[in-house]
Each structure stands twice: as structure tokens, then as C-alpha cells.
Amino acid sequence: MSLLEIACLVTCAGLSLAGAAVAFIVLTEGRYLGKSLVRWLYDRLAGALAASEDTARWDAFLRAVPIASQERMLDVGTAAGHLPLAVAGKPGFQGHVVGLDWSLPLIQRAQQQVRDQGLAGHTAFLVADARDPLPFALAPFDTVFCLGVLDALPQPEERLADLARLTRPGGRLVLSLSRRIRLADRDYAWFRRHLATLGFRSVERHGWTRLYDLVTARR
Ligand SMILES: C[S@@+](CC[C@H](N)C(=O)[O-])C[C@H]1O[C@@H](n2cnc3c(N)ncnc32)[C@H](O)[C@@H]1O
């Protein structure tokens, strides 16, 4: 279950005004109240997010986005590392997946989970703010994931260009597209236009969850 889904559940359950306030802050991702408050909330929710692994969601993801056994991958906004865990836990996986998030408590949870599951050799995690250029040399990754994050970032064209920079020629970019909540004008047409400008081809949309579709593109 994603943070977005948790926030929606809390609000829908009508548990409290505080629940609605959390949902508002998370859904608007600091647009009105500042990014420090959003990061602080993610830090506080780290335990709940780590415990909320939804195997069916990641099974559906891996059906929509098949992973080769040797791939080098980056997951931007990895939260408690559920995607790296799903990928590295695939039988026969020999590649490497790096999870990046701006929340230290979430990254610590991710590190604990990969250690517990004996997957630390195929994963690495780091704390970084995706609002800034990401700390990697040119195009080191076969696949770059950015799920449930891009909507929240200012200057999305620049952020998309930075994700493109990290994708090797011939590699893939995998993004999420919100189906229900559109806080900005980032619809499928927006992705197609900007990905084409960045030299991506084969832009495709795939169903994923009730809340998100996936957009995949090859560089
Ligand atoms: C809605 S959750 C999505 C988590 C995961 N990618 C998924 O699809 O389940 C958003 C994640 O992005 C992280 N995040 C939000 N803004 C970020 C930023 N500026 N830099 C790095 N991580 C960020 C949050 O800490 C959180 O873990």
C-alpha cells in the first residue's frame, strides 16, 4: 500500500481532523506548507510504510515491467525499499538495484529489510533529495524507476531530464501516472511530449493499481 493510499484510507475512514490534515499535506507534497514538513511526515510514517508491503502490487508491477536477471537499476523515492526487495527477491536475479529516498528513517528500514531477507548483496540505498541533480555519473543504469514521486517535485521537466541522464542508451525509464488525482498538468500527453524531447521512444502506458498507471519509455 502506498503512502497515497494510506492517506486516502485515513481520510475516507473519517478518523479525525488530524488524519485529513496528514492526507492534505502528503497529497499536496509541500506545495502549500513546505517540503520540510512533508519529509518530517515521511520520517514519522517510516514504520507504518515499512510494514505495509503489498505483495500483489509488486507482483502486478513485475508483470507489467519484466526485469532481466543482470539489470542495474535505480529506484527514486524508494520509501522502505519495497521495489528493490521485490526485484532482488526474484529467483535467479544477479543484477543490482539502488534505492534512493530523502528520508533517513525510510532508508534505514529498507536496509534492515534487505538484511533480514538476505538480499543486501544485490541492493544499495542512499539518502538524497530528488529536487536536486542526482549524485551519479552519466547514464549508469539500465532501468530508472520513479514511482509516486515526480508529481510532487517542482520543475518536473528538469527532474525528468535528470532521470533521462541516468538511463543508459537503450535503457528504460519507468514512471507512475496518477489515475485519480491530478495535482499538476502531468497527464499522459505531457509524458509523451517531454520523453520524446529527451530522445525516448516506445513510450507506453500500462495498467498497475487502482491509483496509478505506469509509463515506460526506452532511450
Ligand atoms: C508516495 S511514496 C512512493 C513510494 C514508492 N516509490 C511506491 O511507489 O510505493 C513517495 C516517496 O518518495 C519520497 N520522496 C518524496 N519527495 C522526495 C524527494 N524530494 N527526494 C527524495 N525522495 C522523495 C518519499 O519519502 C516517499 O518515500
Side-chain angles (χ1 to χ4, degrees), residues 109-126:
R109 299 275 176 173
Q111 288 168 325
Q112 185 62 51
Q113 302 218 64
V114 292
R115 274 197 300 272
D116 291 349
Q117 296 186 29
L119 299 171
H122 294 288
T123 56
F125 292 94
L126 79 151

Side-chain angles (χ1 to χ4, degrees), residues 1-5 26 29 35 38-39 42-43 49 57-58 75-83 100-103 106 127-132 134 146-149 152-154 176 208 212:
M1 184 180 288
S2 72
L3 188 53
L4 196 62
E5 288 166 309
V26 169
E29 299 272 4
K35 69 172 188 173
V38 179
R39 184 162 39 190
Y42 276 114
D43 289 352
L49 281 169
R57 185 161 86 104
W58 295 111
D75 181 27
V76 177
T78 195
H82 291 153
L83 189 158
L100 175 153
D101 206 281
W102 66 350
S103 163
L106 276 169
V127 176
D129 188 343
R131 294 172 188 234
D132 302 325
L134 295 173
C146 187
L147 309 176
V149 187
L153 301 177
S176 62
W208 181 27
Y212 288 110

Side-chain angles (χ1 to χ4, degrees), residues 1-10 12 26-27 54 57 147-148 151 175-183 186 205-214:
M1 184 180 288
S2 72
L3 188 53
L4 196 62
E5 288 166 309
I6 292 173
C8 289
L9 271 183
V10 171
C12 295
V26 169
L27 291 174
D54 180 351
R57 185 161 86 104
L147 309 176
D151 264 345
L175 306 159
S176 62
L177 174 63
S178 174
R179 291 163 68 126
R180 303 208 173 162
I181 300 161
R182 185 125 314 127
L183 296 169
R186 274 158 252 162
R205 183 175 184 164
H206 313 263
W208 181 27
T209 66
R210 280 181 301 108
L211 293 174
Y212 288 110
D213 283 340
L214 295 168

